[in-house]
Amino acid sequence: MSLIKKIFANTRKPGKGITGKMMLQMMNTMHNKNAMWCLSNIEIEKAFNILEIGCGGGKNISNLLKKAPHAKVYGVDYSKTSVANSKKFNRKAVSEGKVDIVHGTVSSLPFEDEKFDLATAFETVYFWPDLVNDFKEVKRVLKPGSKFFICNELSKGEEAEKWSKIIDMNIYNKEQLKNVLIKAGFSDVISHEHENGKWLCVIARK
């Protein structure tokens, strides 16, 4: 693996050491404008149970709590480094019982059926190993009528191919995500694209 690929592999699964921690800090900063725009497209009730899948450096757990201060937010990530950093970033909310962050994978979420009112996935579905079955697993832990919220970057053509090769990721457009969501059993799929042509959010109902 080339040095560049080793560095960018930390976007997929941040590892131990300074490189992984630096990547998580960069994610918290560089993706935040996109995340805040995405969050402006969804309403969150006060007492929601929210699942943040692929919680990374923990910034979006904080963003969700700011939007819904009385919600309970659960974070899950398959990187133990991400879990540790998310807990550290949200230490006050964790100590107050507003946040619970665990190690786990989207393919087998460590939660019971129909637990959550909302599931979010910021900048992460690019890396999910089996999109249809992983979406089905998200659907399993959602309450009937609740929503799944996806926030992504958009790249097209040669740019998309370049990043797919460097990071080993799949960049989806809104039609591709809609088709997979419907195949997984979701309905009422809507999408929003930012005028900059680089940001996408998709919302689906169980």
Side-chain angles (χ1 to χ4, degrees):
M1 183 184 290
S2 69
L3 178 60
I4 292 175
K5 283 199 171 185
K6 284 182 180 179
I7 293 171
F8 278 102
N10 282 282
T11 62
R12 182 182 185 93
K13 187 177 184 181
K16 295 179 181 179
I18 189 66
T19 306
K21 290 179 180 179
M22 285 178 61
M23 186 60 71
L24 289 168
Q25 291 173 1
M26 288 173 59
M27 288 177 182
N28 278 346
T29 303
M30 294 174 63
H31 294 165
N32 196 52
K33 286 185 178 180
N34 180 11
M36 295 306 295
W37 170 77
C38 286
L39 282 171
S40 72
N41 290 292
I42 193 167
E43 296 296 324
I44 303 177
E45 298 293 333
K46 288 183 178 180
F48 266 12
N49 267 356
I50 303 172
L51 175 60
E52 162 50 348
I53 306 168
C55 55
K59 178 64 174 175
N60 285 311
I61 290 175
S62 174
N63 288 337
L64 287 162
L65 279 179
K66 287 178 181 177
K67 190 173 178 72
H70 301 290
K72 173 71 180 281
V73 182
Y74 294 78
V76 62
D77 203 293
Y78 76 152
S79 161
K80 291 182 179 180
T81 303
S82 293
V83 171
N85 276 262
S86 287
K87 287 181 178 179
K88 184 177 179 180
F89 191 89
N90 294 281
R91 61 171 69 86
K92 185 173 185 292
V94 170
S95 68
E96 293 172 347
K98 294 180 179 180
V99 168
D100 188 10
I101 303 168
V102 299
H103 180 247
T105 171
V106 66
S107 300
S108 182
L109 291 167
F111 304 103
E112 64 266 29
D113 295 355
E114 300 183 1
K115 179 178 179 64
F116 299 103
D117 302 284
L118 174 69
T120 62
F122 292 88
E123 307 276 359
T124 181
V125 300
Y126 323 112
F127 309 118
W128 292 9
D130 186 336
L131 211 57
V132 174
N133 285 320
D134 293 341
F135 282 2
K136 286 180 180 179
E137 179 65 358
V138 175
K139 181 172 173 282
R140 177 186 68 79
V141 301
L142 285 171
K143 297 176 183 177
S146 55
K147 293 179 179 179
F148 179 28
F149 178 78
I150 299 168
C151 177
N152 271 20
E153 300 276 352
L154 273 176
S155 296
K156 299 175 182 178
E158 292 182 2
E159 185 181 6
E161 290 181 13
K162 177 188 75 174
W163 286 111
S164 295
K165 289 177 181 177
I166 292 174
I167 306 180
D168 187 20
M169 63 191 292
N170 294 303
I171 301 173
Y172 304 101
N173 60 39
K174 62 184 180 182
E175 289 82 11
Q176 290 170 320
L177 288 173
K178 180 177 180 179
N179 290 338
V180 178
L181 284 163
I182 290 172
K183 190 172 182 179
F186 286 92
S187 61
D188 300 331
V189 182
I190 61 172
S191 60
H192 304 276
E193 285 191 30
H194 193 276
E195 60 186 13
N196 66 13
K198 297 180 179 180
W199 298 344
L200 170 69
C201 72
V202 178
I203 306 165
R205 185 182 298 276
K206 175 175 176 177

